[in-house]
């Protein structure tokens, strides 16, 4: 079979960067090109992609609709790994994808499993895009991944894992810490996506990936056992999470342009969904109609959370978002 021509939006980001590497590993199956917005065309990260021989298509997905359609010419699969705040910019992209005859659109999911409709605002903005895709009758695949290993570990009293931590200290245990939750190593999103987008079984389906299903109590115990340190956790009750979520939503309503306020709604919604409701599990994913990537691709062994912690303790983990401008 001739290779599929894939256009990836978000290759300079965390999720998109993983997807890029996963696709570039399989040159028999994919010819990979990258969609870049005009304001980022001269970024060093984009220049590095050019140096690696990746073809770049520069277009503003919120600009002229014709220009977007033109820039999708010849593409079989379009993948979006746009950041959390940018979800609705995909509405016009989906319309253009339909006009351009894209054979499979992978909109930006890549999050935890949660139901639509008021549990997670982020999920609901993604859902708006999915509903638009279905109205267009555009072929699609939705891929969710649980929570990344890279943002799922507590910090240690010695400070030895602070170098890779998104926030320090990070010792909160939510709602008793008993809810199991699916985890995927950020680096394994790409290899999973590569398998999923060449698989006819996943067309017009949702798929979930994970390496482990662990509670926060499991994770803290593992870190303590592997490090020999004792973590003093800070317990955050379900009621406190719910109250923080209400406060965060009120702040966004009062200050819609405040990006940090939006970040707080993302964080508190994740906590509510994962730890209070307990949504992010394989059983609930199956109930919502997801296919299980572990069952589809038994040949692929994702990196376990324990392996990741081993790397973390050896000082070999990489902190996400090192080049991100949060402004
Ligand atoms: N499962 C988890 O644990 C987890 C954790 C974090 C995020 N996520 C999900 O993953 C998704 C991707 O987030 P991320 O944090 O990986 O993203 P990120 O690192 O912030 O990167 C976003 C990418 O999108 C590009 N982009 C943004 N707006 C664009 C536009 N208008 N046109 C073209 N490119 C544009 C950025 O390019 P520039 O170089 O131009 O900025 C960048 O490459 C999010 O939707 C979020 O829901 C999941």
């Amino acid at each position: 079979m001739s290779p599929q021509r894939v256009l990836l939006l978000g290759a300079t980001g965390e999720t998109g960067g993983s997807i890029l590497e996963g696709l570039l590993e399989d040159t028999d199956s994919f010819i990979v090109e990258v969609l870049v917005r005009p304001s980022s065309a001269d970024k060093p990260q984009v220049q590095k992609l050019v140096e690696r021989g990746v073809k770049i298509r520069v277009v503003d997905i919120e600009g002229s609709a014709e220009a977007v359609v033109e820039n999708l010419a010849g593409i079989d699969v379009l993948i979006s790994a746009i950041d959390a705040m940018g979800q609705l910019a995909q509405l016009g992209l989906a319309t253009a994808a339909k006009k351009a005859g894209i054979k499979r659109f992978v909109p930006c999911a890549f999050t935890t499993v949660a139901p639509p409709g008021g549990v997670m605002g982020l999920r609901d903005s993604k859902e708006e895009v999915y509903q638009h895709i279905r109205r267009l009758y555009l072929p699609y695949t939705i891929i969710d991944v649980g929570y990344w290993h890279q943002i799922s570990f507590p910090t240690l009293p010695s400070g030895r894992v602070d170098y890779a931590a998104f926030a320090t200290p990070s010792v909160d245990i939510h709602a008793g810490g008993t809810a199991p939750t699916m985890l995927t190593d950020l680096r394994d999103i790409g290899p999973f996506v590569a398998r999923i987008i060449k698989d006819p079984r996943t067309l017009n389906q949702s798929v979930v990936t994970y390496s482990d299903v662990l509670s926060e109590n499991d994770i803290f115990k593992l870190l303590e056992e592997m490090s020999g340190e004792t973590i003093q956790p800070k317990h955050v009750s379900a009621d406190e999470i719910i109250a923080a979520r209400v406060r965060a939503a009120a702040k966004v309503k009062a200050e819609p342009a405040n990006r940090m306020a939006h970040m707080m709604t993302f964080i508190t919604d994740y906590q509510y969904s994962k730890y209070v409701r307990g949504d992010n599990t394989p059983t609930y994913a199956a109930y919502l109609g997801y296919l299980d990537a572990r069952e589809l691709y038994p040949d692929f062994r994702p990196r376990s959370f324990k392996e990741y912690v081993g790397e973390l303790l050896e000082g070999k983990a990489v902190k996400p978002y090192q080049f991100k401008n949060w402004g």
Side-chain angles (χ1 to χ4, degrees):
M1 229 170 72
S2 56
Q4 301 185 80
R5 193 171 288 272
V6 183
L7 184 65
L8 171 64
L9 181 159
T12 58
E14 296 296 335
T15 305
S18 173
I19 296 171
L20 180 73
E21 298 308 325
L23 297 177
L24 290 177
E25 267 172 31
D26 189 353
T27 47
D28 288 345
S29 303
F30 308 115
I31 298 164
V32 189
E33 300 188 28
V34 161
L35 188 158
V36 170
R37 50 181 156 183
S39 57
S40 295
D42 295 328
K43 271 184 157 182
Q45 294 99 310
V46 173
Q47 291 315 308
K48 272 192 197 147
L49 296 177
V50 173
E51 283 159 25
R52 288 176 71 185
V54 178
K55 193 175 161 202
I56 309 291
R57 298 190 184 202
V58 179
V59 66
D60 178 2
I61 61 167
E62 296 177 274
S64 145
E66 292 90 61
V68 181
V69 175
E70 272 168 31
N71 271 282
L72 297 180
I75 297 298
D76 299 307
V77 180
L78 172 63
I79 303 177
S80 168
I82 200 163
D83 52 83
M85 290 289 291
Q87 298 304 306
L88 299 185
Q90 299 175 101
L91 292 169
L93 187 63
T95 305
K98 178 69 184 180
K99 285 195 183 136
I102 294 292
K103 296 182 188 127
R104 185 188 308 236
F105 180 37
V106 180
C108 186
F110 305 114
T111 185
T112 51
V113 164
V119 172
M120 291 181 69
L122 176 58
R123 171 74 194 211
D124 288 347
S125 61
K126 291 175 189 288
E127 198 71 32
E128 216 174 309
V129 178
Y130 309 159
Q131 295 308 329
H132 183 59
I133 289 168
R134 291 180 180 124
R135 279 192 298 269
L136 290 166
Y137 204 165
L138 172 65
Y140 70 92
T141 303
I142 291 163
I143 304 173
D144 277 318
V145 298
Y147 218 53
W148 304 342
H149 292 173
Q150 282 76 0
I151 50 175
S152 295
F153 62 89
T155 50
L156 295 171
S158 64
R160 67 193 273 211
V161 299
D162 287 5
Y163 75 96
F166 189 53
T168 54
S170 176
V171 290
D172 290 358
I173 288 190
H174 303 88
T178 54
T181 187
M182 290 183 285
L183 301 171
T184 296
D185 193 290
L186 177 55
R187 295 164 293 179
D188 286 334
I189 295 177
F192 270 125
V193 169
R195 283 162 176 78
I196 291 167
I197 64 167
K198 63 180 185 187
D199 184 347
R201 294 173 299 176
T202 61
L203 196 62
N204 305 326
Q205 302 288 338
S206 300
V207 186
V208 68
T209 78
Y210 58 96
S211 66
D212 299 75
V213 185
L214 296 172
S215 69
E216 284 186 302
N217 289 339
D218 295 333
I219 289 173
F220 275 57
K221 191 161 167 264
L222 183 69
L223 263 286
E224 288 190 332
E225 280 169 5
M226 289 179 71
S227 68
E229 298 188 37
T230 303
I231 306 168
Q232 288 302 328
K234 181 172 165 264
H235 285 277
V236 183
S237 71
D239 285 348
E240 286 171 309
I241 294 167
I242 292 165
R245 189 169 169 262
V246 170
R247 277 198 306 277
K251 181 129 177 125
V252 163
K253 205 168 174 197
E255 299 172 38
N258 183 336
R259 290 178 77 88
M260 285 322 288
H262 283 276
M263 285 288 289
M264 274 317 291
T265 63
F266 296 155
I267 292 168
T268 53
D269 283 355
Y270 268 127
Q271 292 171 355
Y272 175 61
S273 172
K274 285 194 298 176
Y275 306 128
V276 179
R277 288 179 45 87
D279 290 329
N280 187 39
T281 66
T283 318
Y284 192 53
Y287 167 79
L288 291 176
Y290 283 81
L291 303 177
D292 183 329
R294 300 296 298 278
E295 288 171 11
L296 293 174
Y297 316 111
D299 61 304
F300 178 64
R301 193 185 71 79
R303 293 168 175 90
S304 70
F305 186 71
K306 190 172 180 183
E307 284 171 81
Y308 172 74
V309 174
E311 292 176 36
L312 180 67
L313 293 172
E314 284 172 20
K316 292 181 182 161
V318 177
K319 182 178 178 165
Y321 297 119
Q322 289 183 32
F323 304 106
K324 175 99 176 167
N325 173 7
W326 294 100

